[in-house]
Amino acid sequence: MGDARTVRAVNALTVGWAGRALRQSEETVFSAAGVWPLLALLAAGADGAARDELERATGVDAGEAAGAAGRLLARLDALPGVASAIGLWSKATVPLEPDGPARCLRPRTGC
C-alpha cells in the first residue's frame, strides 16, 4: 500500500469521526492518525467478522495493514515535535502468536 493511499485512509477515518462528533459539539479537535495504526495492526491479526469490520474502519486490506501502519508511524516519528506509541493489552485467555505482537510493534517496521 502506498503512502498516499494510507494518508487517504487515515483522512477518511477522521472525516467519518468528525461528522459524528460535530453533530454533538462544534468544539472538537482530533485526528485519526493517532488510532489508525492501532486499528490497522489489529486488522492484520484478526479474522472473520472482526477482520472485515477493521478493514472497513481502516479502509485498507488487512494483508497490507501492518506494513502501512509501520510506514505511517515511521513518517509520524520523523516529524519534528511528533512522537507516537502503540501498546497492546490482551486478556490472558486470548491466544496470541509467539512474538506476534512484539513483531508488529517494533519501531518503524510493522509486521
Side-chain angles (χ1 to χ4, degrees):
M1 163 177 259
D3 288 342
R5 188 170 165 211
T6 299
V7 169
R8 284 192 300 273
V10 173
N11 287 342
L13 186 60
T14 302
V15 167
W17 285 350
R20 287 185 289 280
L22 291 177
R23 283 185 229 135
Q24 299 170 356
S25 170
E26 293 183 14
E27 299 176 7
T28 301
V29 177
F30 60 87
S31 171
V35 74
W36 190 93
L38 174 61
L39 295 176
L41 290 170
L42 290 171
D47 59 11
R51 183 180 181 108
D52 294 342
E53 185 173 351
L54 287 163
E55 283 181 331
R56 284 191 303 276
T58 60
V60 299
D61 179 83
E64 300 174 359
R71 289 188 301 277
L72 176 62
L73 289 171
R75 303 240 354 207
L76 291 172
D77 284 344
L79 295 171
V82 176
S84 62
I86 290 184
L88 172 69
W89 291 261
S90 70
K91 191 173 180 179
T93 57
V94 174
L96 300 175
E97 292 182 25
D99 194 39
R103 186 180 73 246
C104 290
L105 299 176
R106 284 190 192 113
R108 302 183 188 347
T109 61
C111 289

